mmCIF file of all heavy atoms in Angstrom:
data_model
loop_
_atom_site.group_PDB
_atom_site.id
_atom_site.type_symbol
_atom_site.label_atom_id
_atom_site.label_comp_id
_atom_site.label_asym_id
_atom_site.label_seq_id
_atom_site.Cartn_x
_atom_site.Cartn_y
_atom_site.Cartn_z
ATOM 1 N N GLU A 115 114.500 128.196 141.528
ATOM 2 C CA GLU A 115 115.067 128.356 142.869
ATOM 3 C C GLU A 115 116.347 129.184 142.821
ATOM 4 O O GLU A 115 116.512 130.140 143.589
ATOM 5 C CB GLU A 115 115.354 126.989 143.491
ATOM 6 C CG GLU A 115 115.946 127.083 144.890
ATOM 7 C CD GLU A 115 116.212 125.723 145.504
ATOM 8 O OE1 GLU A 115 115.941 124.704 144.850
ATOM 9 O OE2 GLU A 115 116.706 125.693 146.646
ATOM 10 N N ILE A 116 117.264 128.824 141.921
ATOM 11 C CA ILE A 116 118.506 129.593 141.798
ATOM 12 C C ILE A 116 118.193 130.996 141.279
ATOM 13 O O ILE A 116 118.800 131.985 141.712
ATOM 14 C CB ILE A 116 119.500 128.876 140.870
ATOM 15 C CG1 ILE A 116 119.902 127.516 141.464
ATOM 16 C CG2 ILE A 116 120.741 129.732 140.631
ATOM 17 C CD1 ILE A 116 120.654 127.581 142.761
ATOM 18 N N THR A 117 117.242 131.108 140.377
ATOM 19 C CA THR A 117 116.842 132.409 139.833
ATOM 20 C C THR A 117 116.433 133.364 140.945
ATOM 21 O O THR A 117 116.863 134.532 140.983
ATOM 22 C CB THR A 117 115.666 132.238 138.852
ATOM 23 O OG1 THR A 117 115.924 131.163 137.971
ATOM 24 C CG2 THR A 117 115.433 133.511 138.059
ATOM 25 N N ALA A 118 115.592 132.890 141.846
ATOM 26 C CA ALA A 118 115.131 133.734 142.954
ATOM 27 C C ALA A 118 116.296 134.156 143.847
ATOM 28 O O ALA A 118 116.357 135.298 144.310
ATOM 29 C CB ALA A 118 114.077 132.987 143.773
ATOM 30 N N GLY A 119 117.228 133.237 144.072
ATOM 31 C CA GLY A 119 118.385 133.585 144.874
ATOM 32 C C GLY A 119 119.267 134.613 144.204
ATOM 33 O O GLY A 119 119.782 135.535 144.858
ATOM 34 N N LEU A 120 119.451 134.481 142.890
ATOM 35 C CA LEU A 120 120.235 135.467 142.146
ATOM 36 C C LEU A 120 119.574 136.842 142.207
ATOM 37 O O LEU A 120 120.253 137.868 142.322
ATOM 38 C CB LEU A 120 120.392 135.018 140.691
ATOM 39 C CG LEU A 120 121.292 133.807 140.443
ATOM 40 C CD1 LEU A 120 121.140 133.322 139.003
ATOM 41 C CD2 LEU A 120 122.755 134.126 140.741
ATOM 42 N N ALA A 121 118.241 136.865 142.121
ATOM 43 C CA ALA A 121 117.524 138.143 142.195
ATOM 44 C C ALA A 121 117.757 138.820 143.541
ATOM 45 O O ALA A 121 117.850 140.055 143.630
ATOM 46 C CB ALA A 121 116.026 137.926 141.958
ATOM 47 N N GLN A 122 117.856 138.022 144.614
ATOM 48 C CA GLN A 122 118.168 138.601 145.921
ATOM 49 C C GLN A 122 119.549 139.256 145.901
ATOM 50 O O GLN A 122 119.752 140.321 146.495
ATOM 51 C CB GLN A 122 118.140 137.514 146.994
ATOM 52 C CG GLN A 122 116.767 136.916 147.267
ATOM 53 C CD GLN A 122 116.852 135.756 148.240
ATOM 54 O OE1 GLN A 122 117.905 135.494 148.829
ATOM 55 N NE2 GLN A 122 115.759 135.042 148.397
ATOM 56 N N LEU A 123 120.503 138.617 145.224
ATOM 57 C CA LEU A 123 121.870 139.125 145.221
ATOM 58 C C LEU A 123 122.004 140.428 144.434
ATOM 59 O O LEU A 123 122.714 141.343 144.864
ATOM 60 C CB LEU A 123 122.819 138.072 144.631
ATOM 61 C CG LEU A 123 122.972 136.766 145.417
ATOM 62 C CD1 LEU A 123 123.901 135.817 144.684
ATOM 63 C CD2 LEU A 123 123.494 137.025 146.823
ATOM 64 N N VAL A 124 121.334 140.535 143.283
ATOM 65 C CA VAL A 124 121.505 141.741 142.452
ATOM 66 C C VAL A 124 120.598 142.880 142.903
ATOM 67 O O VAL A 124 120.819 144.033 142.530
ATOM 68 C CB VAL A 124 121.272 141.431 140.961
ATOM 69 C CG1 VAL A 124 122.234 140.363 140.474
ATOM 70 C CG2 VAL A 124 119.820 141.039 140.680
ATOM 71 N N GLY A 125 119.572 142.577 143.694
ATOM 72 C CA GLY A 125 118.715 143.618 144.239
ATOM 73 C C GLY A 125 117.776 144.238 143.219
ATOM 74 O O GLY A 125 117.734 143.849 142.046
ATOM 75 N N CYS A 126 117.050 145.231 143.653
ATOM 76 C CA CYS A 126 115.987 145.813 142.824
ATOM 77 C C CYS A 126 116.529 146.601 141.639
ATOM 78 O O CYS A 126 115.782 146.903 140.699
ATOM 79 C CB CYS A 126 115.061 146.681 143.672
ATOM 80 S SG CYS A 126 115.887 148.059 144.498
ATOM 81 N N PHE A 127 117.806 146.953 141.647
ATOM 82 C CA PHE A 127 118.385 147.690 140.525
ATOM 83 C C PHE A 127 119.235 146.798 139.612
ATOM 84 O O PHE A 127 119.838 147.283 138.658
ATOM 85 C CB PHE A 127 119.224 148.869 141.037
ATOM 86 C CG PHE A 127 118.411 149.895 141.770
ATOM 87 C CD1 PHE A 127 118.529 150.025 143.139
ATOM 88 C CD2 PHE A 127 117.507 150.705 141.093
ATOM 89 C CE1 PHE A 127 117.775 150.959 143.835
ATOM 90 C CE2 PHE A 127 116.748 151.642 141.769
ATOM 91 C CZ PHE A 127 116.878 151.771 143.143
ATOM 92 N N GLY A 128 119.294 145.506 139.913
ATOM 93 C CA GLY A 128 119.982 144.560 139.044
ATOM 94 C C GLY A 128 119.003 143.869 138.113
ATOM 95 O O GLY A 128 117.815 144.204 138.069
ATOM 96 N N SER A 129 119.502 142.889 137.354
ATOM 97 C CA SER A 129 118.620 142.167 136.430
ATOM 98 C C SER A 129 119.093 140.724 136.261
ATOM 99 O O SER A 129 120.287 140.442 136.241
ATOM 100 C CB SER A 129 118.587 142.850 135.063
ATOM 101 O OG SER A 129 119.856 142.778 134.431
ATOM 102 N N ILE A 130 118.113 139.833 136.171
ATOM 103 C CA ILE A 130 118.350 138.421 135.895
ATOM 104 C C ILE A 130 117.606 138.065 134.618
ATOM 105 O O ILE A 130 116.395 138.301 134.511
ATOM 106 C CB ILE A 130 117.839 137.512 137.036
ATOM 107 C CG1 ILE A 130 118.402 137.954 138.389
ATOM 108 C CG2 ILE A 130 118.168 136.062 136.738
ATOM 109 C CD1 ILE A 130 119.891 137.859 138.504
#
Side-chain angles (χ1 to χ4, degrees):
E115 180 179 0
I116 297 296
T117 314
L120 290 169
Q122 293 174 8
L123 295 178
V124 301
C126 60
F127 296 109
S129 66
I130 307 297

